[in-house]
Amino acid sequence: MDKVTVGPCTLEERDGEMVSLTRWWREACAGTGRLVLVGGDAGAGKTVLVEEFGRILGDVRLLRGSSEPLTTPIAFGPLRDMAHSLSPPLRQKLTGPADPVEARHLMLDELRGGAGPTLVVFEDAHWADEATLDLLRFLGRRIEACPAMLVVVYRQDEVGARHPLRVLAGDLAALPVVRRLTVPMLSEAAVARLAEGTDIDPAELYRRTGGNAFFVTQVLGDGRATVPPTVRDAVLARAARLEPGAREALDALACLGTRAAPWLVEAVSGRAADDLDACVDRGLVAADDGAVAFRHELVRVAVMEAIPPGRAAALHRRALAVLGARPPGEVEPARLADHAERADDRAAVLAYAPPRGTTGIHAGGSHGGRGTPPPRTRSVPGQPGRGPGRPPGGTRPAVSSRRRPRRRPARPAGGRRGVAGGRRRPSAGRGAGRAGDHRGAPGPGDPAR
Ligand SMILES: Nc1ncnc2c1ncn2[C@@H]1O[C@H](COP(=O)(O)OP(=O)(O)OP(=O)(O)O)[C@@H](O)[C@H]1O
Ligand SMILES: [Mg+2]
């Protein structure tokens, strides 16, 4: 479709990927839908690639949702993220116990419908719940007749041979609509360009990071002249320079997920808004739509790994108490069960987690490479629980909206990223896969958000 215009890409070494994405998007706009599998290692730059693609496309219908690493994944998690942009019937379904068959057909209608070409991004699909995987399987077989492009983003290093996403990709492989893209590490030349104007030795930076974009930007954002041996070291060095109160706020946020409402962090940590602001100033977290969010999931994992187990359990207990006191239906039971499990509160696990067999979602532990133990319970698909997330008593947001994250992360200022070290970044895969230290973003409207 010739009307598709694409501006310049601001990322290093991603012109080829942009050309491919643009070609497939044009085909989708012309009525031949596409399903694009975008893989790459943790921190390779998958998310910013797809974000940048959406940005340079400009004014298109973009639906975006993420999966998250809860021990009991929330069914249709990504669709719930998109809910506000979906048609009322489907939105309505997602607020109650969604019938998966009906939800799948309604989503197909969304993509067939007259709302114009649609770009649908499923982020972090390596954590996808079973209902979402079934949805992708269903849509993949029908997308050819839709003016839509589904982009499924996943960490290659988390998808082992028996991972459900690998199985799905195998099932879809023969379909003519499927395209694949692998996001590579940055070259030494690109790393050197990013390091221009800093005191860092670019060759050393490349040697240590292996061109992992997250690690590179994390090191450069810190403004030091030496390169830490691992991403984890880079993150923790930065966190270590926080005042104790700010560190407590940071630890509380790490237990709550990748993002949380500032009032919730304050309630769980017992710290003031200023402490959270200090974390923002240090470049570890950012204000994001009224919430605070880690600059990257890998930063959260590094912080989480450094919290002593007893203290982590205490923070989860506190999170459970605060969130459990919210009005019924406001917080996903799966989220409460997750905190209960990590706090080792058996009674609360039983109270909040729906019985086995009541949901269409798969066990988190079946994800190869994640190392997450099989959840003892599963959550009910579509169960209400993503409430308004208003701060009790109207507590003001801890972080000023002035400090919003940069939309274009091509340059490392402010620093993002973290975990894993060296070339293979083993701690990214390992740390990211450990139960109890790998929780993601709460759903929209959830106070944890
Ligand atoms: N091509 C690039 N040029 C410059 N910087 C980049 C590039 N790709 C990524 N970055 C930087 O690296 C960071 C990490 O990128 P991103 O969040 O997209 O990684 P990811 O592959 O999605 O990681 P994860 O698997 O953990 O979700 C970005 O915030 C950005 O600062
Ligand atoms: Mg990402």
Side-chain angles (χ1 to χ4, degrees):
M1 180 166 155
D2 291 348
K3 272 183 285 173
V4 176
T5 54
V6 177
C9 172
T10 61
L11 298 172
E12 284 288 346
E13 297 184 331
R14 296 295 181 251
D15 289 351
E17 287 77 8
M18 287 296 171
V19 168
S20 298
L21 287 169
T22 305
R23 185 170 65 245
W24 300 329
W25 172 246
R26 287 193 170 125
E27 291 165 358
C29 290
T32 308
R34 296 283 174 235
L35 188 154
V36 184
L37 296 166
V38 176
D41 281 0
K46 306 176 294 296
T47 296
V48 293
L49 171 73
V50 175
E51 276 179 4
E52 177 74 350
F53 178 63
R55 187 191 68 78
I56 61 182
L57 282 185
D59 192 17
V60 302
R61 183 169 187 238
L62 172 62
L63 304 175
R64 190 177 176 282
S66 305
S67 296
E68 50 181 329
L70 293 171
T71 49
T72 49
I74 297 169
F76 289 124
L79 281 198
R80 288 160 187 259
D81 285 351
M82 303 168 192
H84 59 281
S85 308
L86 298 173
S87 61
L90 180 52
R91 194 163 56 221
Q92 180 61 31
K93 284 277 164 274
L94 293 168
T95 61
D99 170 13
V101 177
E102 216 175 339
R104 286 198 288 268
H105 281 280
L106 285 170
M107 187 62 190
L108 183 62
D109 290 346
E110 287 277 336
L111 304 181
R112 279 199 190 122
T118 309
L119 180 65
V120 193
V121 181
F122 289 86
E123 264 285 350
D124 294 329
H126 47 279
W127 291 320
D129 60 276
E130 198 169 273
T132 297
L133 291 171
D134 283 345
L135 173 73
L136 290 173
R137 187 173 278 111
F138 175 87
L139 293 178
R141 296 187 179 283
R142 291 159 182 83
I143 197 74
E144 191 162 11
C146 302
M149 184 159 106
L150 307 182
V151 179
V152 180
V153 182
Y154 67 99
R155 284 185 185 166
Q156 242 157 21
D157 47 357
E158 297 241 2
V159 179
R162 288 192 307 230
H163 190 287
L165 187 64
R166 172 82 49 124
V167 176
L168 170 68
D171 291 349
L172 297 177
L175 299 177
V177 295
V178 174
R179 299 289 182 272
R180 286 171 187 271
L181 206 58
T182 300
V183 179
M185 296 291 149
L186 296 174
S187 71
E188 187 165 359
V191 170
R193 278 192 297 276
L194 290 171
E196 267 168 27
T198 73
D199 295 333
I200 294 266
D201 172 6
E204 171 72 357
L205 181 60
Y206 178 71
R207 194 179 66 74
R208 285 246 194 243
T209 61
N212 179 276
F214 168 63
F215 192 179
V216 169
T217 52
Q218 184 69 28
V219 172
L220 292 175
D222 207 23
R224 283 180 301 170
T226 52
V227 184
T230 68
V231 180
R232 184 174 184 278
D233 293 325
V235 172
L236 294 182
R238 193 179 288 199
R241 292 199 297 281
L242 290 170
E243 294 295 326
R247 183 59 192 260
E248 284 171 29
L250 190 73
D251 289 353
L253 176 59
C255 289
L256 286 164
T258 303
R259 319 160 35 96
W263 69 263
L264 181 58
V265 181
E266 290 174 48
V268 172
S269 65
R271 306 306 311 185
D274 288 352
D275 290 314
L276 206 43
D277 282 355
C279 301
V280 176
D281 291 340
R282 185 69 64 197
L284 290 157
V285 303
D288 184 10
D289 264 348
V292 278
F294 277 97
R295 307 294 299 233
H296 194 277
E297 232 288 309
L298 296 176
V299 175
R300 192 192 69 78
V301 172
V303 171
M304 193 69 225
E305 281 184 340
I307 305 175
R311 190 170 141 58
L315 286 168
H316 283 295
R317 255 195 310 280
R318 190 127 184 85
L320 181 62
V322 173
L323 291 172
R326 302 297 293 166
E330 187 178 294
V331 183
E332 281 282 356
R335 190 169 304 287
L336 296 171
D338 193 64
H339 285 300
E341 180 133 357
R342 294 170 201 281
D344 205 19
D345 183 338
R346 301 287 89 211
V349 169
L350 290 173
Y352 290 122
R356 273 184 188 277
T358 56
T359 177
I361 61 175
H362 66 75
S366 63
H367 282 192
R370 269 180 63 184
T372 308
R376 276 153 254 196
T377 51
R378 300 181 177 192
S379 64
V380 176
Q383 182 137 359
R386 298 200 174 194
R390 289 284 134 235
T395 311
R396 76 170 175 88
V399 179
S400 66
S401 54
R402 170 170 57 83
R403 298 185 177 115
R404 295 178 63 79
R406 290 148 38 88
R407 263 194 61 76
R408 296 221 237 130
R411 298 294 298 181
R416 294 185 63 170
R417 290 22 219 39
V419 185
R423 281 163 233 160
R424 275 302 303 159
R425 300 166 300 97
S427 56
R430 177 171 39 83
R434 285 183 22 186
D437 62 11
H438 206 180
R439 309 184 60 252
D446 192 313
R449 194 162 184 93

